[in-house]
Amino acid sequence: MLIVLLIIGSYICGTINGAYYIGKIYFRKDIRELGSTTAGARNAGRVFGKGAFIGALLVDAFKTFLPLGIGYMLGLSPWVQALLALSVLIGHIWPIQLGGKGGKGIVVRPFCLLSFVAHGETIESEIDGCGLAGFSSSADYSVRPT
């Protein structure tokens, strides 16, 4: 039962869309009608400027780290923590209170992975299959001569 509540809570955290609320509160505009028409940090920066981007970035980081940190502190398995990460991502992309029109998850996905790295989890084995597999710590970032 606790895991189900945490998954629902993670989704709710994901629906807190910084770009949307910054646009509505500070600029009195709906970010989903401007720029790329997505409610994400990149679009907020493009439309409202650097301050809006940083604000949306901070909101996205906090809403991601909060449920994943709670899962870690409760000692939940990495698989359950991956479900929490997926729930935050789903909430960000398809927030119910915004009619399913959220961001693309460009900022939320890396913060999910940073949370796992900060907790010392192995990303490859825990994240594959949870919508986050495009970001792996085993990627080869070496520079090769052309």
Side-chain angles (χ1 to χ4, degrees):
M1 183 64 170
L2 174 65
I3 293 172
V4 171
L5 291 175
L6 286 170
I7 290 171
I8 292 168
S10 296
Y11 173 82
I12 291 169
C13 280
T15 65
I16 301 168
N17 193 298
Y20 175 79
Y21 292 111
I22 286 170
K24 277 295 194 185
I25 293 168
Y26 293 106
F27 300 96
R28 308 265 189 255
K29 295 181 181 178
D30 187 345
I31 189 73
R32 299 170 302 160
E33 297 172 355
L34 304 168
S36 68
T37 68
T38 59
R42 284 179 54 193
N43 195 32
R46 195 176 308 130
V47 173
F48 301 128
K50 190 187 314 183
F53 172 76
I54 292 170
L57 185 78
L58 291 174
V59 170
D60 287 350
F62 181 74
K63 78 179 183 185
T64 303
F65 285 136
L66 180 66
L68 298 180
I70 290 170
Y72 175 75
M73 287 189 292
L74 291 175
L76 299 177
S77 76
W79 284 104
V80 174
Q81 292 179 47
L83 285 175
L84 298 181
L86 182 61
S87 297
V88 172
L89 185 61
I90 289 170
H92 179 78
I93 297 171
W94 297 291
I96 194 160
Q97 85 280 15
L98 299 180
K101 296 180 181 178
K104 295 179 184 176
I106 302 293
V107 174
V108 173
R109 281 182 287 188
F111 279 118
C112 286
L113 293 176
L114 282 174
S115 170
F116 280 94
V117 171
H119 298 150
E121 302 295 340
T122 57
I123 295 171
E124 301 86 5
S125 62
E126 308 307 337
I127 303 299
D128 287 345
C130 288
L132 304 171
F135 298 92
S136 174
S137 66
S138 65
D140 182 10
Y141 296 109
S142 61
V143 177
R144 295 191 179 108
T146 55

